[in-house]
Amino acid sequence: MTPMQTPTTWAERTGLTERLLDIGIAVFLWAFRIIVLFVVVVGSLLTLARGRYSIEVWIDLIVGGLSLGAIYALIALGYTMVYGILRMINFAHGEIFMVGAFAGFFTGVYLAGTGLLTASPLSAVVGIAIMILMAMAVAALVALIAERIAYRPLRNAPRLVLLISAIGVSFFLQYTVRGLFGPGIYAYPSVPFLAEPVDLPLLSILRLKWLDVLVIGSAIGMMLALYLFVMRSRAGTAIRAVSEDKATAALMGIDVNRAIVTTFAIGAAMAGAAGVLYGLMFRQIFFFSGFVPGIKAFTAAVLGGIGNIPGAMVGGFLLGELESVGPTLFLDGLGVPSPNQLKDVIAFTILVLVLIFRPQGIMGERLSRSRA
Amino acid sequence: MKLRKLGIIGAAGALAISATVPAVAQAPEDPLGVISIPAGEPLHIAFWGVLSGADSSLGTDSMRGVEIAVDDRGGKLLDLDIQLTSEDGGCTPEGGANAAQKLAADTTIVGLVGSTCSDETVGGIAAITAAGLTTISPANTRPTLTAPDRGPEYAGYLRTAHSDAFQGLAVAQWAVDQGITKAATIHDGSAYAEALQQVFADSFVELGGEITVQEAVSKGQTDMKSVLTTIAATGPELIYLPVFVAEGGFIVAQTSEVAGLENVTLAGSDGIFSADFLNAAGPNVEGMYLSSPDFTAFQSGYADFLAKHQEKYGQAPLSVFHAHAYDATNILFAALEQVATTDADGTTYIPKGALRDAIYATTDFQGLTGVLSCSPSGDCGAPVIGVYQISAENVANNSLPTAPVWPVR
Amino acid sequence: MTAVTAPPPTVAPIASARDLWLSVAIRTGLIAGATALYLCLTGIVPTFDSRPLIRDVITLGQVALVVAFMAAGLGTAIRLGTQASPGRTVLGGTVAGLIAGAMLSALVLLGSVVDLRAMFLHASPALWNVLTFEMGTSGFWVPAAVGAVLGGLAAAIWLLPGALRMSLLAGLAMVLVMGLFAGLLRAPMLSGPLSGLARQLFAAEGLQPIGALLSFAAGAILVPLFRPSRIRARAQRLSREQRRVTAVPLGGVLLLLVLLLPLGLGPFVAQVVALIALYVLMGLGLNITLGLAGLLDLGFVAFFAVGAYTVGLLTSTGEYGIAQWSFWAAVPVAVVIAMLFGVVLGLPLLGMRGDYLAIATLGFGEIIRILAGSDLLKPWLGGPRGITNIPKPLDVGPDSFLAGPNQIYYIALACAAVIAFVAWRLRASRLGRAWIAIREDEDVAEALGVNLVQTKILAYMLGAAFAGLGGAIFASLYGSVFPSSIQLLVSINVVAIIIVGGMGSIPGVVVGAIVLIGLPELFREFSEYRFLFYGAVLILMMRFRPEGLIPSRIGRQEMHHDAAEDDPLTATAAVEPS
């Protein structure tokens, strides 16, 4: 919320210069919004008017954005859950994702050796499920160790201290993986079935590949499961209670520590699963693979309203679409050279714009004033 | 008590100074200075390159080439133990500057191999040249580093890697030989790809071709259809994409899905000359052309080298410049053997200026990457660039072609 | 609040019953063994085995294992405390060391049957040889035996009388420190009259045996004499007058040392200290935004980039230079432009709080980085090939003392001093108090008449100005600007410096920059593992000294306040309103 919108400040201010300053700022901020919206609208109209891209291209872009968004959303869930319960930016979450990708990779190499991934579509799905489960387990284990060593002792410290500790964990995990497996790039085993197009009557118009179905489907499935777990189960209720108010939750007989540990484990497992999906999609991983997706997922979590689980999903998919469709739609028509280089510029500008309109993110509500 | 202790240190110091005085008398003269290595001390060489961060496989690949070269000598040169120091340049100019400055301050270092990223050299070369030292880079490909008009601070810089001026030109010549007249390029925002596609574009235009559009993608981008659609609208016959594996894979995999690109030829460079790329790109990669150092022009020792690499590191090489690093190290060793002198009490002298001259004077050196001769502007590489074509068999076996289709011999 | 029952303490029950010594030993041994396994498999042991600590005696790789084994023994002895008999303590240490060693033995045995290398790069014959003194896998029993001996030895050392134990450990620590810094000390000595001494004390890598003995003696004798606690105690005994009298010459000597630093240690150290001074400067800038006003800015690198590119464009004699001004004319322009960016980027942030602010600023940093390297701005900024040929501020001959990094060092030092003064004066000012007020509680501050808009914008503006100055100096230090230098890591480094040094503390920023920027530079030779240590240092620092190395008085009070009064369960959200 901008200061201009609170009427009390008007009444209290007397100086003319202050008032002028405030007006100036208001004009600037509105100009910012208008310029961004102008670029978005005019750019889009010009691009569409030029008609260079067929409807298939747009469908492909949207599907690509959905796949990418699904991965962002899965990682963002971990960010947002940990934030909700500890008010902590878990900067190392991207590295947990990377560790999951590596666990899935080694499992996948073993499975590829047995021929499971190539035998038939069914066996491939079983194989991928094993990879994902393995990645979830390893990622959760690593996250729990990190929580025990680097976060739990700091629970009473200022949040910046936790942030720095998390940054330390991030470096530590990156270079541990580099030490263990080397700096080389590892190619994910190929699963031929995933590259085949989906030939179902209604879906064929979307030009999906089975990979897209797998990524988007499993991500949405896991998110639904998580949502039900948090809303319906006993442990989920405990987590919500603790993130609402730790002291009261403890008074009600909830084991606060256990709720926090469960949150870390679940968030990390989601990230680990996302790691395998990322590997299947991008085909290669290395020790630095977690950094950029981690930052993107953090952005997605904030975009949706940090601390809010549906918000993380919305934020993830929105960010994926912005990155995928945005450059072509907004900038191509304006004649910007190499618009795809600027996809992150678009994503972050829209983020700032959203935060100007809604400082608490798209779906974040209750956190805005009292706790953020 | 304190006083006594000081006495001990003082005595030890006096003893030490008196012990080493006589050696200096017979040292040879050199405009850049002479490094003297007392008997029992090792011969100190250094490697600098990127060993941390996202690009560290490039630096590690080169460093392993240096280590194998040292092993091949049994860890000894001129009857001295070889001491190898490595410094991280982080693939940035400031990292290169810090690494170079640190190495330049160490007066025991006789010669260097590095850097790996051209940015590191831009940042660090002044310090190395000022210290009278000479470095041979196995992996820098930026053309300006060995341009005839490079500044005096590059006096201590040579390389065994090919300049992108060669590779970009070679690809352009190949394209013209194929009868291609219209080409488009894609880079990924990295200094390597951006420079290489520019050299290609300039050479191609000079040779009479037309560049329809120069596009760019960003690292981590997955959907390339909009870029490809933009390119398709300009109607090129060739798309040149000197990028890296991830983006290259997505671009090639998606070419079949964009209308207007059915008959277009694809070409890439050594950044995607790897089996991982074939894996990532899928069936569309069949028929694609890749430029790379011509491995068939590599000498017979290369197979041996690969075997040693597998034995020592349990891995295949991580990048393409390990053999260049091996050669750079051996050129340095050969020059050291030429200029070093030893006096009666076993002190070895390395005149720095003579060493630099000896390296520049390298001719017909039998290296793994070819027969190498250094030019006055520091190019030692045997720039034998081959253009390879991926066959259906390559795709089926996920293996790289072994013989280039161009130049025709 | 006091009625809330905290979860039961997780501290392991100290061996109260007699036989518990064994369980303590086993647990400690397992932890030490896991650490040793980690050191082996990440390649630290085999890589550092080629780097001697004492020539022909022990390598750094072996030291890592020795430390792990001795930690097993010491840890057991410490946890047992006085509750076990001396014999039991030594036995416990031996068992702990044995377990730790046995885990490595198991690794070697496993490696002899399974090809671990398919997964772990460093599980190679070279590692087995390090672990078994070149005996290969048949010597698998060696680590267990060595572990048992060292574990028992360490426990025995713990039983020694206090003073002796301290001397012994200090001596060993001194050998380690001298061995690590040997190269750095030796290089400048070699070119001077001390070259003989240098060769006597230091080997090409690490220490000569005689140097190690002298280091041990120095550590064992000097450290107990000059224990920090003893000095502090003595200082406290001095009267205020006496303290002032001693402070002035001490400060003078310190100042002189700082000024003469490049003279004694050569251009590399000058470059590192110039870099430290640069980060001090930026740290002081962020200290206003973050330390005083509590605005978490993760996009500090944006203003750094603006400063660097402005100076680059205005002074470069190369392709993209537009004016070929001198450094001195370009710097004020760069600072003003950075300030303008601070205002322009700060305005949209006004309504955001806490972590929303963090991610928005991070976004700005990324936007600037991408734009700098983009094709869109390439005609003006050079794209990925950046701006080169940026001249040094002072046009002196190549042989001058001020050529190269030395002049940048003095310029950065002077700027840092000025900024430190400004920051110090600002904190006590009305504006400084307003910043602290909005850090503590924005709503209350506003209600008390603090103009949030002006105050916040001023904080962004000043922070940006300092970052811009840092970028300007950076550009001339390295003579070039590339988009690859505009990394998120720069922003993270600056934030980490402030927290590690101590929030709001000016000496803290200096110490933080030395620890987080200087040390990694000095240890550049351990290139592959630098960031591993960096991460570990951050974690350990936050764990054991969260208030920072040199906390400001207020910071320390806050920390104590938290620990003593706040309910541990609610403190997390309440302590730091950011």
Side-chain angles (χ1 to χ4, degrees):
Chain A
M1 122 154 16
T2 53
M4 297 319 314
Q5 288 158 341
T6 39
T8 50
T9 55
W10 277 105
E12 285 164 10
R13 284 187 197 150
T14 47
L16 183 66
T17 45
E18 284 197 1
R19 205 168 286 194
L20 280 175
L21 189 73
D22 284 348
I23 293 173
I25 291 167
V27 168
F28 174 86
L29 286 180
W30 277 106
F32 176 79
R33 293 172 221 206
I34 291 165
I35 289 172
V36 173
L37 287 180
F38 180 82
V39 168
V40 166
V41 172
V42 173
S44 305
L45 287 177
L46 282 174
T47 308
L48 294 175
R50 281 165 83 183
R52 183 189 272 176
Y53 302 104
S54 63
I55 187 78
E56 282 82 15
V57 172
W58 292 115
I59 290 176
D60 284 347
L61 288 175
I62 290 168
V63 170
L66 278 180
S67 300
L68 194 61
I71 290 175
Y72 287 161
L74 273 181
I75 313 175
L77 285 174
Y79 264 116
T80 229
M81 286 178 71
V82 168
Y83 187 88
I85 205 159
L86 283 182
R87 306 283 174 271
M88 161 201 178
I89 305 175
N90 185 6
F91 218 85
H93 196 59
E95 269 56 59
I96 300 287
F97 156 86
M98 177 269 297
V99 167
F102 265 92
F105 166 77
F106 285 112
T107 316
V109 167
Y110 175 75
L111 294 178
T114 64
L116 191 68
L117 293 177
T118 43
S120 72
L122 183 67
S123 73
V125 169
V126 171
I128 290 169
I130 296 175
M131 284 162 71
I132 289 181
L133 286 177
M134 195 67 193
M136 291 171 91
V138 173
L141 181 72
V142 172
L144 290 186
I145 295 173
E147 195 270 340
R148 182 72 192 83
I149 292 175
Y151 304 150
R152 193 180 299 177
L154 300 178
R155 242 177 241 166
N156 304 326
R159 289 163 47 193
L160 272 173
V161 168
L162 263 170
L163 175 70
I164 298 295
S165 191
I167 290 173
V169 172
S170 168
F171 278 116
F172 192 78
L173 286 179
Q174 267 177 27
Y175 284 86
T176 297
V177 169
R178 188 197 190 284
L180 291 177
F181 311 124
I185 294 170
Y186 287 83
Y188 245 61
S190 65
V191 186
F193 158 67
L194 291 179
E196 286 169 21
V198 180
D199 254 345
L200 296 176
L202 278 175
L203 288 174
S204 61
I205 199 169
L206 292 179
R207 299 155 48 82
L208 292 169
K209 281 192 234 122
W210 282 109
L211 176 67
D212 301 314
V213 175
L214 172 81
V215 171
I216 299 170
S218 53
I220 290 180
M222 271 186 278
M223 284 186 258
L224 278 180
L226 176 70
Y227 192 72
L228 288 179
F229 169 79
V230 172
M231 298 319 266
R232 297 282 162 79
S233 77
R234 242 187 120 71
T237 314
I239 290 175
R240 279 186 297 141
V242 172
S243 57
E244 201 67 39
D245 186 335
K246 284 193 190 57
T248 315
L251 280 176
M252 305 296 282
I254 292 171
D255 185 342
V256 172
N257 214 23
R258 191 160 151 192
I260 292 175
V261 166
T262 315
T263 308
F264 264 95
I266 293 175
M270 293 285 157
V276 175
L277 298 179
Y278 175 93
L280 290 169
M281 191 164 154
F282 285 82
R283 306 307 299 276
Q284 52 175 5
I285 53 167
F286 73 124
F287 74 98
F288 217 65
S289 290
F291 190 70
V292 174
I295 299 229
K296 291 292 174 57
F298 179 23
T299 310
V302 172
L303 195 57
I306 195 158
N308 181 308
I309 290 176
M313 303 185 204
V314 171
F317 282 114
L318 182 62
L319 189 69
E321 290 301 339
L322 277 177
E323 283 190 13
S324 182
V325 183
T328 312
L329 185 63
F330 306 153
L331 299 182
D332 196 73
L334 297 174
V336 172
S338 312
N340 277 296
Q341 274 194 320
L342 304 178
K343 66 185 168 76
D344 290 353
V345 174
I346 294 176
F348 284 118
T349 310
I350 300 287
L351 171 84
V352 172
L353 189 74
V354 166
L355 292 183
I356 292 178
F357 279 118
R358 278 187 72 82
Q360 69 277 46
I362 296 170
M363 307 199 50
E365 204 110 36
R366 55 209 172 84
L367 281 169
S368 61
R369 276 246 145 184
S370 57
R371 293 196 229 154
Chain B
M1 186 166 65
K2 258 186 271 175
L3 211 76
R4 198 155 35 128
K5 173 113 181 44
L6 282 179
I8 296 172
I9 295 177
L15 189 93
I17 291 166
S18 63
T20 52
V21 165
V24 190
Q26 299 159 323
E29 302 249 320
D30 190 278
L32 297 180
V34 177
I35 300 164
S36 53
I37 307 167
E41 296 253 327
L43 180 77
H44 192 178
I45 63 168
F47 169 81
W48 58 304
V50 51
L51 296 169
S52 70
D55 302 301
S56 51
S57 60
L58 182 64
T60 305
D61 180 60
S62 293
M63 189 171 78
R64 288 175 175 178
V66 178
E67 286 174 351
I68 291 175
V70 172
D71 286 355
D72 275 2
R73 298 274 182 153
K76 275 180 175 306
L77 189 79
L78 306 163
D79 286 331
L80 302 171
D81 288 333
I82 300 171
Q83 178 194 344
L84 173 66
T85 301
S86 59
E87 296 281 349
D88 175 29
C91 212
T92 59
E94 64 272 18
N98 291 343
Q101 196 68 256
K102 182 168 183 196
L103 292 170
D106 189 333
T107 50
T108 61
I109 290 177
V110 297
L112 302 96
V113 176
S115 66
T116 48
C117 297
S118 298
D119 280 358
E120 293 167 344
T121 297
V122 170
I125 192 60
I128 286 176
T129 301
L133 291 168
T134 308
T135 187
I136 311 175
S137 166
N140 292 166
T141 58
R142 190 171 302 168
T144 50
L145 301 181
T146 51
D149 62 345
R150 60 184 189 160
E153 71 268 28
Y154 283 90
Y157 177 83
L158 302 92
R159 66 174 157 203
T160 53
H162 53 78
S163 157
D164 282 336
F166 289 113
Q167 180 155 238
L169 178 65
V171 178
Q173 275 165 344
W174 160 81
V176 171
D177 284 357
Q178 304 292 300
I180 289 167
T181 56
K182 292 166 80 178
T185 64
I186 305 178
H187 72 85
D188 61 1
S190 68
Y192 157 83
E194 201 269 342
L196 193 47
Q197 61 89 25
Q198 193 60 50
V199 172
F200 166 80
D202 294 346
S203 316
F204 190 62
V205 169
E206 212 161 280
L207 294 169
E210 181 199 339
I211 294 292
T212 60
V213 64
Q214 287 168 282
E215 266 292 344
V217 298
S218 57
K219 295 251 178 200
Q221 185 174 336
T222 54
D223 202 295
M224 307 296 178
K225 280 169 209 129
S226 56
V227 179
L228 290 171
T229 307
T230 313
I231 290 175
T234 65
E237 299 157 46
L238 166 76
I239 302 177
Y240 180 49
L241 44 131
V243 294
F244 294 100
V245 173
E247 293 76 25
F250 284 108
I251 293 173
V252 173
Q254 291 169 24
T255 46
S256 61
E257 298 168 32
V258 174
L261 295 181
E262 293 79 10
N263 297 318
V264 81
T265 306
L266 299 174
S269 277
D270 46 10
I272 46 177
F273 194 79
S274 83
D276 290 352
F277 167 67
L278 266 59
N279 184 4
N284 284 349
V285 80
E286 186 186 330
M288 182 174 179
Y289 295 89
L290 297 175
S291 75
S292 167
D294 185 347
F295 288 103
T296 52
F298 275 25
Q299 308 299 300
S300 54
Y302 187 56
D304 263 5
F305 175 89
L306 290 179
K308 284 176 207 153
H309 192 287
Q310 184 67 38
E311 161 73 25
K312 188 168 164 80
Y313 304 107
Q315 273 184 327
L318 299 169
S319 183
V320 294
F321 291 115
H322 44 272
H324 296 82
Y326 181 89
D327 284 354
T329 315
N330 278 315
I331 289 178
L332 176 65
F333 286 168
L336 280 169
E337 281 172 331
Q338 256 179 55
V339 300
T341 52
T342 310
D343 69 8
D345 63 359
T347 306
T348 307
Y349 299 101
I350 312 284
K352 290 193 267 191
L355 177 70
R356 186 181 285 176
D357 294 342
I359 295 174
Y360 272 99
T362 302
T363 38
D364 297 336
F365 180 87
Q366 298 292 327
L368 288 182
T369 58
V371 181
L372 310 180
S373 301
C374 297
S375 78
S377 59
D379 259 320
C380 303
V384 192
I385 300 295
V387 177
Y388 297 74
Q389 187 174 22
I390 314 263
S391 67
E393 192 189 338
N394 293 142
V395 177
N397 302 337
N398 199 29
S399 65
L400 289 168
T402 48
V405 294
W406 185 94
V408 185
R409 254 170 294 173
Chain C
M1 279 297 176
T2 46
V4 178
T5 46
T10 49
V11 180
I14 298 293
S16 49
R18 247 187 185 182
D19 294 334
L20 274 183
W21 67 271
L22 191 60
S23 79
V24 168
I26 291 175
R27 205 176 311 152
T28 318
L30 285 176
I31 294 174
T35 313
L37 276 179
Y38 177 89
L39 292 173
C40 289
L41 288 179
T42 50
I44 292 177
V45 168
T47 307
F48 288 160
D49 191 52
S50 61
R51 165 77 156 83
L53 180 76
I54 305 169
R55 190 183 180 189
D56 297 333
V57 177
I58 191 169
T59 68
L60 273 186
Q62 291 164 336
V63 167
L65 289 177
V66 168
V67 169
F69 290 147
M70 291 189 70
L74 272 180
T76 310
I78 292 171
R79 288 179 91 175
L80 285 173
T82 51
Q83 297 178 20
S85 69
R88 282 271 161 77
T89 304
V90 173
L91 194 59
T94 312
V95 170
L98 179 70
I99 290 172
M103 286 169 76
L104 295 186
S105 294
L107 176 71
V108 177
L109 263 185
L110 187 66
S112 65
V113 268
V114 189
D115 181 22
L116 289 175
R117 226 176 167 188
M119 193 163 168
F120 298 109
L121 206 59
H122 290 286
S124 65
L127 176 62
W128 314 146
N129 279 337
V130 175
L131 292 179
T132 60
F133 296 115
E134 310 295 323
M135 273 190 271
T137 47
S138 62
F140 67 88
W141 50 271
V142 171
V146 173
V149 171
L150 286 173
L153 193 69
I157 289 177
W158 183 254
L159 292 174
L160 293 173
L164 196 59
R165 184 175 69 203
M166 167 120 190
S167 273
L168 206 58
L169 292 178
L172 289 177
M174 186 61 112
V175 172
L176 190 61
V177 170
M178 290 299 282
L180 284 174
F181 283 103
L184 212 65
L185 294 170
R186 182 176 124 118
M189 281 168 79
L190 276 184
S191 50
L194 293 175
S195 70
L197 179 65
R199 289 189 204 276
Q200 210 80 23
L201 293 180
F202 307 119
E205 288 178 294
L207 297 167
Q208 298 279 18
I210 177 96
L213 276 178
L214 285 176
S215 304
F216 181 83
I221 296 166
L222 295 182
V223 171
L225 278 180
F226 296 104
R227 275 158 70 170
S229 57
R230 199 180 279 196
I231 293 173
R232 207 174 301 141
R234 195 175 290 177
Q236 264 159 10
R237 252 179 279 137
L238 296 175
S239 71
R240 178 172 286 222
E241 188 59 29
Q242 280 168 312
R243 240 183 275 178
R244 195 178 304 155
V245 170
T246 46
V248 170
L250 255 180
V253 169
L254 206 65
L255 185 68
L256 203 67
L257 267 181
V258 168
L259 285 178
L260 294 181
L261 207 54
L263 207 60
L265 289 170
F268 169 63
V269 176
Q271 178 131 345
V272 173
V273 262
L275 200 62
I276 292 175
L278 199 76
Y279 271 93
V280 167
L281 209 150
M282 292 199 286
L284 290 170
L286 189 62
N287 218 346
I288 291 177
T289 331
L290 174 61
L292 293 183
L295 304 166
L296 178 52
D297 187 344
L298 288 182
F300 212 55
V301 72
F303 311 120
F304 174 84
V306 169
Y309 267 95
T310 308
V311 163
L313 287 173
L314 289 177
T315 64
S316 169
T317 56
E319 201 179 338
Y320 296 97
I322 50 173
Q324 276 130 43
W325 287 8
S326 80
F327 173 80
W328 307 102
V331 163
V333 179
V335 170
V336 169
I337 293 182
M339 275 167 111
L340 282 179
F341 266 80
V343 175
V344 169
L345 297 186
L347 284 174
L349 303 175
L350 283 174
M352 298 175 204
R353 292 179 181 212
D355 305 302
Y356 295 94
L357 186 64
I359 191 69
T361 51
L362 189 152
F364 281 141
E366 289 293 288
I367 288 176
I368 298 276
R369 179 182 66 81
I370 295 165
L371 284 179
S374 70
D375 282 9
L376 180 66
L377 298 181
K378 189 172 142 193
W380 301 280
L381 301 182
R385 278 178 277 178
I387 298 173
T388 50
N389 294 354
I390 300 171
K392 288 266 185 288
L394 301 174
D395 190 16
V396 290
D399 299 325
S400 158
F401 170 67
L402 284 177
N406 284 358
Q407 54 170 297
I408 307 288
Y409 170 62
Y410 290 115
I411 291 171
L413 205 64
C415 289
V418 170
I419 290 174
F421 180 75
V422 171
W424 173 62
R425 293 302 300 164
L426 269 176
R427 184 160 54 175
S429 73
R430 197 185 151 74
L431 184 58
R433 292 199 302 274
W435 280 330
I436 293 172
I438 58 172
R439 181 184 78 190
E440 294 305 322
D441 191 322
E442 214 167 275
D443 300 330
V444 173
E446 188 172 23
L448 290 173
V450 172
N451 185 334
L452 284 187
V453 178
Q454 279 179 14
T455 323
K456 281 188 175 182
I457 287 295
L458 273 173
Y460 285 122
M461 212 165 87
L462 281 170
F466 293 167
L469 183 59
I473 295 175
F474 176 90
S476 62
L477 173 63
Y478 294 111
S480 54
V481 197
F482 291 86
S484 60
S485 310
I486 319 294
Q487 289 173 350
L488 180 60
L489 189 62
V490 176
S491 304
I492 290 177
N493 267 334
V494 180
V495 175
I497 283 172
I498 295 184
I499 310 294
V500 166
M503 268 260 269
S505 146
I506 293 169
V509 172
V510 178
V511 175
I514 291 174
V515 171
L516 293 185
I517 304 297
L519 287 186
E521 281 303 327
L522 294 183
F523 287 115
R524 212 164 243 287
E525 57 184 304
F526 303 131
S527 35
E528 295 157 77
Y529 297 100
R530 265 192 312 151
F531 287 103
L532 189 67
F533 294 133
Y534 184 90
V537 165
L538 287 188
I539 298 171
L540 292 176
M541 274 292 310
M542 293 303 104
R543 174 89 154 76
F544 296 107
R545 213 176 155 82
E547 75 271 32
L549 288 168
I550 305 188
S552 65
R553 211 176 62 240
I554 299 165
R556 197 177 305 156
Q557 279 168 355
E558 274 178 4
M559 279 301 189
H560 283 279
H561 166 81
D562 298 342
E565 291 169 30
D566 266 9
D567 171 20
L569 290 175
T570 54
T572 326
V575 173
E576 188 71 7
S578 53

